[in-house]
Amino acid sequence: MSSHPPKADRSDIWVSRLRDHAKRMGEGRGLVVEGRLTRMVGLTLESVGCRAAIGGQCDVVSSNGTHIEAEVVGFGEESLYLMPTGDIRGLEQGARVIPTGSVCEAVVGDHLLGRVIDGAGRPLDGKGGLHADERRPLTGQTFNPLARTPIREPLDVGVRAINALLSVGRGQRLGLFAGSGVGKSVLLGMMTRYTNADVTVVGLIGERGREVKEFVENSLGEEGLKRAVVVAVPADNPPLRRMHGAMLATSIAEYFREQGKHVLLLMDSLTRFAQAQREIALAIHEPPATKGYPPSVFAKLPQLVERAGNGDKGGGSITAFYTVLAEGDDQNDPIADAARAILDGNIVLSRRLAEAGHYPAIDIEASISRAMNEITTYGHQDAARSFKHLYSLYQQNRDLISVGAYEQGSDEQIDIAIAAMPALTEFLRQDMRTPVNLRESLETLEALFPSEPEVEMPGDLPLQPADHV
């Protein structure tokens, strides 16, 4: 008896096999040419034998079972340069490098509200897994700048000095500039709690790991977290993961903007994002240009920042605050200087004020909001200019006044500034636990500098006693 199946059965088997093969061909990517790992210096992996596009993902698999994900960040004549997105322990020479044909994507959706995730979109809060509502490229999409909705509406941030003297518009992008330890995170926390926004997206990029839990519990709180998304990528993460964290936070904010929501994006810090790009660029032999920063760093900054702001369809907005670390309190640090040029304003924090117990330690003279004239009344602008005029006049003569070298009556304007200084200083101070809304801020400023039709010069504006603050 023949052991072969009947001819009809053999036909069914071949049809089934062909169907399965066609299905695999339709789902697959065809032939995948693998490479091998030839060199590793620092965190840079070098492979030969395969091809992949910049930004493409590769799996690196060792014979001992170690498996990591890496992204193509550069290439040479025969080599690909890869940067890992996770731990590289156990990786060995000659490991297989397998291009996946995919790129890093952001998982976005309403399910992210109330969650804390890492730079890869994985949950850190122990509240279970996340399902993908929608995926989009981490790099975002640019749109016609002429289609952007103009900044026309003021935004209440709950900080009197900012509301009154550095007014913020909905859709504006500002930087908090300061050295270490002068209150950037505290001020950021105040604005997180008190700003009127539908959704808050927080990117904690490259900062200390202990700050993540403190920010979630102390700055956001249980109620604040319900309408917030936190992307946490501490300093011990690889540089590529830190960059991905900043881009992921921006992608999430873009998603909610497209839903017509007003989003508050807080990123701490923009400097750590730039430093991560510097690490990657130097590792693949890009020459440094300005104080150790390669040119690609200054190209990446506007690509990230320009994604925030008002959209091109109206309705939603992203108001963004980026902290910028001025190394050694140097406001001309390359990253601080570049950020100042591409942002819509800067709020500078002073170490001298912080050491004197003046909080928030905002240096009013060095700070500016470029959208203020578009969102405030003429009376408000006059009062703010009057405040800055008297405050700056006192600071310019501060040393003479302190040592008693200035004689009262020598200059009428300086006399007014000296009399006004206690009220001005009290106006700028605010307890971090006490919000001051926009209306209260303007009423207090107008009490100091009432708007009068005949007044033209800031120095001529009458000043009210300090008890009006």
Side-chain angles (χ1 to χ4, degrees), residues 18-62:
L18 288 172
R19 188 181 294 114
D20 291 343
H21 180 70
K23 182 179 180 181
R24 288 196 300 269
M25 291 294 292
E27 294 177 350
R29 293 175 285 106
L31 182 65
V32 177
V33 179
E34 297 181 5
R36 63 185 179 88
L37 189 64
T38 59
R39 189 166 179 258
M40 175 179 171
V41 179
L43 290 177
T44 308
L45 310 178
E46 187 174 336
S47 73
V48 296
C50 62
R51 299 176 63 182
I54 293 293
Q57 296 296 107
C58 292
D59 292 331
V60 184
V61 184
S62 296

Side-chain angles (χ1 to χ4, degrees), residues 272-291:
R272 304 303 185 198
F273 171 83
Q275 290 174 345
Q277 172 60 23
R278 177 175 64 177
E279 292 178 42
I280 294 172
L282 293 178
I284 60 175
H285 316 301
E286 184 181 350
T290 306
K291 291 187 178 181

Side-chain angles (χ1 to χ4, degrees), residues 388-467:
K388 292 182 179 181
H389 170 76
L390 292 181
Y391 186 86
S392 179
L393 188 61
Y394 180 90
Q395 296 300 331
Q396 292 168 12
N397 296 275
R398 183 169 173 268
D399 292 340
L400 291 176
I401 298 169
S402 298
V403 300
Y406 173 76
E407 294 184 4
Q408 189 172 1
S410 301
D411 187 298
E412 182 181 358
Q413 292 298 306
I414 297 178
D415 291 342
I416 296 175
I418 293 173
M421 199 58 192
L424 304 185
T425 302
E426 186 64 24
F427 182 89
L428 295 175
R429 286 180 172 172
Q430 183 178 334
D431 188 281
M432 63 175 291
R433 297 174 294 261
T434 306
V436 180
N437 63 38
L438 182 61
R439 179 184 296 275
E440 293 173 352
S441 301
L442 298 185
E443 288 176 351
T444 306
L445 180 65
E446 291 172 359
L448 286 170
F449 299 94
S451 179
E452 298 289 344
E454 69 274 14
V455 175
E456 295 182 358
M457 298 301 294
D460 296 329
L461 290 172
L463 182 74
Q464 301 300 315
D467 57 14

